[in-house]
Amino acid sequence: MNDLVIDARSLRKVYQMGEIQVNALAGVSITVRRGEMVSIMGPSGSGKSTLMNILGCLDRPTSGEYYLDGELASDLNDDQLASIRNRKVGFVFQSFNLLPRATALANVELPLRYAGMTSGRQERARQALVAVGLEDRIHHRPTELSGGQQQRVAIARALVNQPAILMADEPTGNLDSKSGKEIMELLLNLNQQGTTVIIVTHDPSVAAQTQRVIRLRDGQVEESA
Amino acid sequence: MNLGQSILEALESLAANKLRSGLTILGIVIGVAAVIAMLAVGTGAQDTILGSISGVGSNLLFVFSGNFTENVRNVQPLTVGDAQAIADPFQAPSVEAVAPILRSELEIAYGGEKTFTNVQGVTPEYAQVRNYAVTEGEFINSDHILGRSSVALVGPEVADKLFNRREGITGETIRIEGQPFRVIGVLESKGGSSFGSQDDVVLIPFSTAESRLIRRSRDRIDQLLVQAVSAEAVPQAAEEIAQILRTRHRTALGADDFTVFSQSDFVQTAQTITGVLTVFLGGIAAISLLVGGIGIMNIMLVSVTERTREIGLRKAIGARKRDILIQFLTESSLLSLFGGLVGIVFGWLIAFVVGQVASASGTPFTPKVGLDAILLATIFSTAVGLFFGLYPANRAASLQPVEALRYE
Ligand SMILES: Nc1ncnc2c1ncn2[C@@H]1O[C@H](COP(=O)(O)OP(=O)(O)OP(=O)(O)O)[C@@H](O)[C@H]1O
Ligand SMILES: [Mg+2]
């Protein structure tokens, strides 16, 4: 069991929109082993982001059980979820979500601050920036960086707490194809160095580079061929 | 995250929006400045009034004829006999000294100068009771009383008017209602008071006044000042005086036909009045602080809405509810703390200007900015920020990360 970083069983997510119920997830069970790199594909509205948010502990499933790195994450309270997000999950968003006024270093430092780390934060943050190839942009603000560089900062921020898993929801969606490729290379590299990665993408060529593809349709996993 | 970091981060975020932060604290600045200035003026007024009351003398009792609270018929005037009885140490052991006074507005002349001044016939005890000293010459003594001497002490203001100087006047001769009086000394300055200037006065021996200038029927006196042996003995002295006067006026059964006021009665009355004044002024000022607080709440709510995505991101990377709460509360209390500090400086300035204007218009009066007022303003303004920041901060902290991140 300890080999499974993600072990989700019959996850359902129901959105109540007035009279109608939207079954964003209709019983999804997936597992991801340590060191794996998995991509999630599916048409728009199939529930990819909904699934990722639950796997990333940003949201709770309506029902189902979810173990993250051996911890039952599906019925934790808000603060416990915050803590598990901080320790175990590195989340990369399509729209970067960097603090605009903070430098790259300060952005990467932020999770360490919320972890309660008091000394050596800057050094750790700097190492994470080096790992994504941004050692010469440490003191730049997001507005002074290209989209690809901003996404690298976001990846450094996701990695800085040495999480059990790196999750990326369409990380290349806002990037031109060249920077998109570079980001994919970076993620592949990180995976080769041992990081478990799960990535949502619309791009078949991106999915082809991962070891396994999970296809979603209408909130359910399509049996893959 | 520790507090120092939260403060640094809050400072950065406030500095990023300088104009808005500045406008937000304006309400607090005005409120605190008003509180500080009002309290300063209030305490200044109180000090001035209390100072002028205690400047009259110490452990004093004022005896008036007539009853101030009840209607009494056949009021008997206070007499020299009453004064002598009260001065008797066996009848009134708590009494240190008694000073009967005759007073009238009379014409004083020297050379070509003429003025109308408050002339008082007094006994040697007056110097002790009123705590008076002379800057030159000597006070009226018992020889002057016995001999009904034509001598006078002049107050510094009278000296200014008649002689244009305050020294070297002793030995000159002035005329009071045409009668020649030799100046035997000049009184020290007691300054102005809420009862009018105490320096515009001429003192002559009681016996001289009684026989030649201020004739009163049947030994009547105008005022009776009594000094108690100590501050603690003042109530006891008042009781002794009352007993003596009841016996002498034969009013043991009915209502008193006299009234005894102690200095502390005046002090208390003055304190009540200035206290009410200070509370009233402070209350008005506090309302503007409240308005300032609502301004802070307003801006913090805007700021929370604007930064919804940022809050979502912070939560996504591990910020707990508490972290966000602290972040926004730190911002709002820092805002109002700044407002408070700027307001203190402003209020101080206003108080200073009020003081300057007051002395320029001849009412010497020093507004006092007390440490307590500063502390109060600082704590109160920070509390306003905390209180009015609570709702916006709580709203920010309760956001769910997914929803906050989806916010556009
Ligand atoms: N907060 C919400 N309230 C109501 N319905 C929602 C909410 N979030 C998602 N949904 C619905 O759930 C379904 C899945 O949405 P989701 O965002 O997971 O799709 P997705 O696969 O990520 O699509 P895309 O490829 O466009 O990003 C959609 O039908 C969507 O309308
Ligand atoms: Mg999506």
Side-chain angles (χ1 to χ4, degrees):
Chain A
M1 157 172 161
N2 213 5
D3 198 36
L4 290 182
V5 179
I6 282 178
D7 182 1
R9 300 171 191 174
S10 328
L11 294 182
R12 298 174 62 83
K13 182 75 186 180
V14 181
Y15 289 112
Q16 194 73 43
M17 299 289 289
E19 295 286 284
I20 5 163
Q21 285 192 343
V22 181
N23 285 302
L25 292 181
V28 172
S29 300
I30 62 165
T31 55
V32 176
R33 284 187 306 279
R34 200 173 301 284
E36 243 189 329
M37 182 157 183
V38 177
S39 54
I40 298 178
M41 291 192 77
S44 186
S46 55
K48 304 183 295 294
S49 295
T50 308
L51 177 61
M52 282 295 265
N53 288 338
I54 290 170
L55 297 183
C57 297
L58 294 168
D59 206 355
R60 289 192 188 83
T62 309
S63 67
E65 280 185 345
Y66 171 39
Y67 291 89
L68 173 60
D69 199 24
E71 272 185 64
L72 181 63
S74 41
D75 52 85
L76 296 179
N77 67 28
D78 283 354
D79 279 355
Q80 290 167 323
L81 280 179
S83 157
I84 209 169
R85 284 196 293 270
N86 184 257
R87 289 178 291 117
K88 303 225 158 166
V89 182
F91 214 103
V92 177
F93 304 89
Q94 180 174 349
S95 51
F96 320 141
N97 280 332
L98 299 174
L99 297 187
R101 289 188 301 271
T103 62
L105 191 71
N107 266 292
V108 175
E109 234 187 284
L110 208 52
L112 299 175
R113 285 208 203 167
Y114 288 125
M117 187 172 166
T118 49
S119 63
R121 282 196 318 244
Q122 293 216 342
E123 182 50 28
R124 272 273 286 280
R126 205 186 59 79
Q127 281 167 10
L129 282 165
V130 171
V132 298
L134 278 183
E135 55 269 40
D136 51 352
R137 295 284 188 280
I138 281 174
H139 297 295
H140 288 228
R141 285 166 210 281
T143 46
E144 300 155 358
L145 295 170
S146 74
Q149 288 168 334
Q150 289 185 50
Q151 195 60 302
R152 282 168 194 268
V153 175
I155 292 171
R157 180 180 64 193
L159 289 174
V160 74
N161 256 352
Q162 294 164 336
I165 186 160
L166 185 69
M167 301 187 180
D169 191 352
E170 298 190 50
T172 61
N174 278 11
L175 299 175
D176 60 273
S177 58
K178 182 171 167 286
S179 336
K181 266 206 188 89
E182 285 169 9
I183 291 297
M184 269 319 290
E185 269 163 36
L186 174 63
L187 292 177
L188 287 165
N189 241 321
L190 289 168
N191 176 245
Q192 259 148 38
Q193 286 160 32
T195 311
T196 313
V197 179
I198 179 163
I199 174 174
V200 171
T201 180
H202 279 294
D203 186 344
S205 65
V206 167
Q209 291 171 283
T210 62
Q211 298 154 18
R212 185 152 64 96
V213 182
I214 296 170
R215 291 179 196 278
L216 282 187
R217 181 176 291 275
D218 296 333
Q220 284 179 307
V221 180
E222 274 187 7
E223 293 314 315
S224 48
Chain B
M1 285 217 272
N2 65 37
L3 193 66
Q5 243 155 25
S6 309
I7 289 176
L8 262 176
E9 216 169 273
L11 283 178
E12 265 170 36
S13 141
L14 294 178
N17 239 322
K18 286 193 195 68
L19 181 65
R20 180 201 278 184
S21 305
L23 289 174
T24 308
I25 66 172
L26 210 57
I28 298 288
V29 170
I30 293 170
V32 169
V35 169
I36 291 280
M38 296 299 182
L39 289 181
V41 169
T43 28
Q46 180 155 341
D47 286 359
T48 309
I49 292 171
L50 297 187
S52 68
I53 291 174
S54 58
V56 170
S58 49
N59 312 328
L60 278 190
L61 293 134
F62 305 79
V63 186
F64 302 93
S65 77
N67 190 314
F68 288 6
T69 50
E70 280 172 76
N71 229 338
V72 182
R73 270 186 286 173
N74 292 329
V75 172
Q76 297 178 46
L78 296 169
T79 62
V80 175
D82 291 336
Q84 281 164 351
I86 293 167
D88 180 353
F90 294 105
Q91 288 191 64
S94 303
V95 168
E96 169 81 25
V98 178
I101 299 163
L102 288 171
R103 64 165 83 226
S104 189
E105 282 289 307
L106 298 177
E107 186 199 78
I108 318 284
Y110 173 80
E113 302 290 332
K114 244 185 214 172
T115 176
F116 270 92
T117 292
N118 175 20
V119 176
Q120 301 187 3
V122 301
T123 54
E125 286 81 13
Y126 188 78
Q128 177 190 352
V129 170
R130 290 281 330 260
N131 200 11
Y132 249 127
V134 290
T135 53
E136 67 172 35
E138 50 165 359
F139 207 81
I140 293 161
N141 59 36
S142 46
D143 290 342
H144 296 133
I145 299 286
L146 284 174
R148 297 181 179 176
S149 317
S150 295
V151 295
L153 280 157
V154 296
E157 229 167 87
V158 177
D160 287 344
K161 274 193 231 169
L162 294 182
F163 300 94
N164 274 323
R165 61 177 200 271
R166 292 181 182 186
E167 301 98 30
I169 298 166
T170 309
E172 299 281 358
T173 302
I174 57 172
R175 287 179 179 275
I176 304 179
E177 294 289 311
Q179 302 180 29
F181 277 77
R182 188 168 52 85
V183 176
I184 54 167
V186 179
L187 294 167
E188 67 169 352
S189 175
K190 285 239 182 196
S193 82
S194 34
F195 313 123
S197 175
Q198 304 182 61
D199 292 345
D200 191 13
V201 69
V202 170
L203 304 183
I204 59 175
F206 187 87
S207 52
T208 317
E210 196 182 26
S211 59
R212 287 167 45 197
L213 278 174
I214 315 173
R215 290 216 177 80
R216 301 280 187 238
S217 54
R218 283 185 285 148
D219 274 355
R220 232 187 93 176
I221 57 176
D222 291 329
Q223 202 190 341
L224 189 55
L225 283 181
V226 179
Q227 186 175 36
V229 288
S230 68
E232 295 74 43
V234 168
Q236 179 60 33
E239 189 46 43
E240 289 166 9
I241 293 167
Q243 290 294 356
I244 291 166
L245 291 180
R246 273 177 208 137
T247 316
R248 291 182 52 86
H249 293 189
R250 299 191 179 83
T251 57
L253 292 175
D256 293 341
D257 64 349
F258 57 89
T259 305
V260 182
F261 258 131
S262 73
Q263 218 170 356
S264 59
D265 292 335
F266 281 113
V267 169
Q268 257 167 25
T269 311
Q271 263 170 345
T272 313
I273 293 170
T274 53
V276 167
L277 189 79
T278 308
V279 167
F280 178 68
L281 294 178
I284 291 177
I287 290 174
S288 53
L289 251 183
L290 197 74
V291 174
I294 294 170
I296 287 197
M297 174 145 82
N298 191 10
I299 292 297
M300 290 309 291
L301 279 174
V302 171
S303 164
V304 168
T305 312
E306 269 184 4
R307 285 150 73 186
T308 303
R309 276 182 77 89
E310 174 192 325
I311 295 162
L313 178 271
R314 286 177 185 270
K315 290 203 140 189
I317 61 174
R320 285 157 303 173
K321 201 175 151 126
R322 209 182 61 199
D323 294 316
I324 304 294
L325 201 68
I326 289 173
Q327 181 189 344
F328 280 87
L329 281 184
T330 313
E331 275 185 33
S332 62
S333 16
L334 272 183
L335 263 183
S336 55
L337 178 64
F338 274 142
L341 294 180
V342 176
I344 287 169
V345 175
F346 254 108
W348 206 317
L349 262 161
I350 293 171
F352 178 76
V353 169
V354 167
Q356 293 292 307
V357 170
S359 9
S361 59
T363 324
F365 151 71
T366 333
K368 235 197 205 146
V369 179
L371 192 67
D372 48 350
I374 291 177
L375 271 173
L376 190 82
T378 313
I379 293 171
F380 195 61
S381 63
T382 314
V384 162
L386 266 176
F387 179 77
F388 286 103
L390 211 54
Y391 175 66
N394 198 49
R395 203 147 122 169
S398 310
L399 285 172
Q400 286 301 312
V402 232
E403 277 144 40
L405 279 168
R406 212 175 3 234
Y407 187 88
E408 289 303 331

